[in-house]
């Protein structure tokens, strides 16, 4: 039983709310990036008071990848300094950077700035092989979709990343390794923590979605 309020303006993603994903592909997409959340959680018949910070997305999409695109890596991050970030990269068969990659940077005062592909870089550092593995191993820079048999949703999943944003650098790491969504098409979606360049001091938190692995 939650109440959600926002003191920041609605963010129109992409160009005035149209987020292009490829030639003739895209979505209408808006976000409320920092909601004040309070209320109660009913846990085993016991009411627990909760409060925190939330993020709301609404997106209506063609849901079709263009030729040469395997999937996407999407991030929504709230930094402790008050800034919010949404960004994604579209993974290509040829491992080149997709020109349709983009994002948005929301300042602490609510002003937003669109980010083009040339303004940020997401690099996978370590990956998770699956539930039979307890830790992360070095990730391949170029990620292919599925395992050797081509089975969708089999991983491996890149769960630690380096984000280069202008002159700033961050580490993004999954809070829990196994946050796979076991739907008809399996993908990974869940909580991440954001760290400084050295990967030691936590400077934010957020959400990550990985598809096409």
């Amino acid at each position: 039983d939650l109440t959600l309020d926002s003191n920041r303006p609605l963010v129109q993603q992409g160009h005035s709310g149209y987020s292009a994903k490829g030639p003739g592909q895209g979505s209408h997409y808006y976000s409320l990036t920092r909601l004040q959340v309070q209320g109660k959680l009913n846990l085993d018949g016991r009411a627990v008071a909760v409060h925190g910070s939330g993020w709301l997305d609404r997106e209506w999409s063609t849901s079709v990848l263009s030729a040469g695109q395997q999937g996407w890596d999407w991030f929504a991050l709230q930094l402790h300094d008050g800034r919010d970030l949404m960004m994604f990269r579209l993974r290509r068969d040829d491992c080149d950077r997709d020109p349709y990659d983009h994002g948005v940077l929301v300042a602490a005062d609510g002003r937003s700035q669109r980010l083009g592909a040339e303004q940020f870089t997401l690099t996978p550092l370590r990956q998770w092989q699956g539930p039979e593995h307890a830790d992360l191993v070095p990730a391949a820079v170029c990620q292919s979709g599925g395992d050797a048999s081509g089975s969708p949703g089999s991983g491996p999943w890149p769960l630690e990343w380096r984000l280069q944003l202008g002159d700033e650098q961050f580490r993004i790491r999954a809070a829990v390794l196994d946050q796979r969504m076991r739907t008809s098409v399996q993908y990974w979606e869940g909580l991440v923590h954001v760290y400084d360049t050295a990967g030691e001091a936590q400077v934010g938190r957020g959400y990550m979605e990985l598809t096409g692995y």
Side-chain angles (χ1 to χ4, degrees):
D1 182 12
L2 301 175
T3 299
L4 295 87
D5 293 303
S6 180
N7 59 10
R8 292 190 179 179
L10 180 146
V11 176
Q12 296 190 71
Q13 302 284 8
H15 291 286
S16 300
Y18 180 71
S19 175
K21 306 297 198 296
Q25 308 293 347
S27 66
H28 291 282
Y29 183 8
Y30 71 83
S31 303
L32 291 167
T33 63
R34 195 169 291 242
L35 296 165
Q36 291 78 52
V37 183
Q38 61 181 353
K40 65 180 180 180
L41 172 70
N42 291 315
L43 183 63
D44 296 329
R46 181 169 54 97
V48 180
V50 294
H51 63 90
S53 181
W55 181 301
L56 173 72
D57 272 347
R58 287 291 180 265
E59 188 170 17
W60 295 264
S61 176
T62 55
S63 297
V64 177
L65 292 168
S66 299
Q69 294 175 342
Q70 295 180 336
W72 60 84
D73 308 312
W74 173 91
F75 300 82
L77 309 175
Q78 296 175 333
L79 302 182
H80 292 344
D81 64 11
R83 292 178 296 169
D84 302 324
L85 281 162
M86 184 288 295
M87 63 196 68
F88 63 84
R89 68 168 200 163
L90 295 160
R91 281 191 329 284
R92 299 176 54 86
D93 294 336
D94 58 13
C95 294
D96 286 345
R97 185 71 188 268
D98 196 291
Y100 286 90
D101 293 357
H102 63 269
V104 68
L105 172 63
V106 182
D109 63 5
R111 291 180 296 176
S112 60
Q113 169 194 350
R114 185 181 186 275
L115 301 173
E118 72 284 355
Q119 293 173 281
F120 69 93
T121 304
L122 288 160
T123 305
L125 298 179
R126 296 197 297 164
Q127 64 190 25
W128 179 59
Q129 302 292 111
E132 66 276 13
H133 299 274
D135 207 350
L136 303 178
V137 298
V141 174
C142 179
Q143 301 281 337
S144 60
D147 62 9
S149 66
S151 174
S154 58
W157 308 93
L159 299 188
E160 183 172 346
W161 295 75
R162 179 172 59 245
L163 165 62
Q164 188 74 43
L165 178 66
D167 295 331
E168 296 181 280
Q169 191 176 108
F170 303 95
R171 293 283 187 100
I172 303 169
R173 191 179 305 144
V176 178
L177 294 182
D178 195 354
Q179 298 186 73
R180 291 171 296 164
M181 302 293 289
R182 294 172 175 85
T183 53
S184 56
V185 177
Q186 190 171 200
Y187 60 102
W188 195 102
E189 182 173 333
L191 178 68
V192 295
H193 293 154
V194 186
Y195 297 90
D196 61 8
T197 305
E200 297 176 356
Q202 187 176 342
V203 297
R205 60 184 176 179
Y207 207 67
M208 176 171 73
E209 180 182 83
L210 310 173
T211 72
Y213 289 95

